[in-house]
Amino acid sequence: MCSQIAKPKIAHLILAAGSSSRMGSPKQLLPWKNTTLIGYAMQQSIALEELDTYVILGANYDLIKKEINDGLVTIIKNSNWQSGMGSSISVGVRTIQQSSYAYDALLISLIDQPLIEVNYLQLLITEYKKSTCDLAASDLGDRVGVPAIFSSSLFEELITLNEDYGARHIITKHKNSSIIISAKEKGIDIDTKEEYKALMNNTFPK
């Protein structure tokens, strides 16, 4: 548990560095609503108040970067993206720590959870601010995971990540001293063409 800061300064790290090997094409650029998956994730983040948005890219960096209006976000490049999601989180946290801002917490989310929208992210932030916990994570039904907010006291643990399991084991480690918010039926990951088509057609199994 932690003694929570009244108005914590929060950074938002959107993970978008993967190669989309199961999709067959960069899923970051798949159409979604009036934009793309990565564009939509950025829209939701920018709509949040008092939040700085960072996007971490890796595979297909040049292709994806040119599709991003980076005036409202900070782009981070993970040259070691092949190592997996943990590597992207580590690079992202290191970069954010080196910025001119001293952040009190970090929100981590994925670009391939398009049903996670601004209202849910705002709820997660609000509940985190109200609590005295170092971690607020999402109940995804079959697991607890991201989107999640990590206190700066957990930054060093995030930096040590270097495998393809993201922050899952850190969330599990601190689960008993965390606030958990339900994101069931919202936190659906899109990994394949079939899943993407099902979500577009509103036929994804619940």
Side-chain angles (χ1 to χ4, degrees):
M1 305 292 282
C2 63
S3 178
Q4 195 63 279
I5 297 168
K7 292 186 177 181
K9 180 69 173 176
I10 301 176
H12 183 189
L13 180 63
I14 301 174
L15 304 179
S19 64
S20 312
S21 57
R22 295 172 60 191
M23 185 69 69
S25 62
K27 62 182 168 183
Q28 295 92 332
L29 301 180
L30 288 174
W32 184 258
K33 297 199 174 179
N34 64 335
T35 178
T36 59
L37 285 181
I38 191 169
Y40 193 71
M42 289 166 47
Q43 284 180 359
Q44 305 314 296
S45 181
I46 292 167
L48 294 166
E49 297 180 358
E50 300 180 6
L51 195 74
D52 295 333
T53 304
Y54 295 79
V55 179
I56 186 153
L57 303 179
N60 304 298
Y61 176 83
D62 292 331
L63 177 65
I64 297 168
K65 183 178 184 297
K66 71 180 183 180
E67 298 297 325
I68 293 177
N69 177 6
D70 57 1
L72 298 176
V73 304
T74 300
I75 297 175
I76 302 171
K77 183 176 183 179
N78 179 16
S79 299
N80 193 34
W81 59 268
Q82 297 95 332
S83 295
M85 190 181 296
S87 169
S88 290
I89 293 173
S90 178
V91 170
V93 175
R94 287 182 185 276
T95 302
I96 288 169
Q97 281 191 315
Q98 293 167 1
S99 74
S100 58
Y101 297 102
Y103 293 104
D104 303 302
L106 176 66
L107 167 61
I108 296 177
S109 68
L110 308 173
I111 62 104
D112 58 0
Q113 293 176 317
L115 299 185
I116 295 290
E117 298 180 318
V118 61
N119 289 344
Y120 177 76
L121 295 176
Q122 187 61 66
L123 173 64
L124 194 66
I125 292 169
T126 299
E127 294 302 314
Y128 172 77
K129 288 181 176 180
K130 286 164 51 178
S131 78
T132 57
C133 296
D134 286 335
L135 174 61
S138 299
D139 179 358
L140 304 172
D142 60 341
R143 67 194 186 284
V144 175
V146 299
I149 302 176
F150 301 82
S151 163
S152 59
S153 65
L154 300 175
F155 284 4
E156 291 304 314
E157 290 188 52
L158 293 170
I159 285 173
T160 64
L161 294 173
N162 58 13
E163 302 289 345
D164 193 20
Y165 47 69
R168 187 168 55 215
H169 86 277
I170 295 176
I171 293 173
T172 300
K173 175 182 175 182
H174 296 279
K175 184 177 178 181
N176 290 335
S177 58
S178 303
I179 182 169
I180 308 299
I181 308 298
S182 176
K184 295 177 181 178
E185 300 183 3
K186 295 179 184 293
I188 297 171
D189 293 349
I190 298 174
D191 292 318
T192 66
K193 290 180 180 179
E194 291 73 23
E195 290 172 344
Y196 172 64
K197 290 177 181 178
L199 205 59
M200 289 288 284
N201 296 326
N202 199 30
T203 59
F204 204 96
K206 297 181 179 181

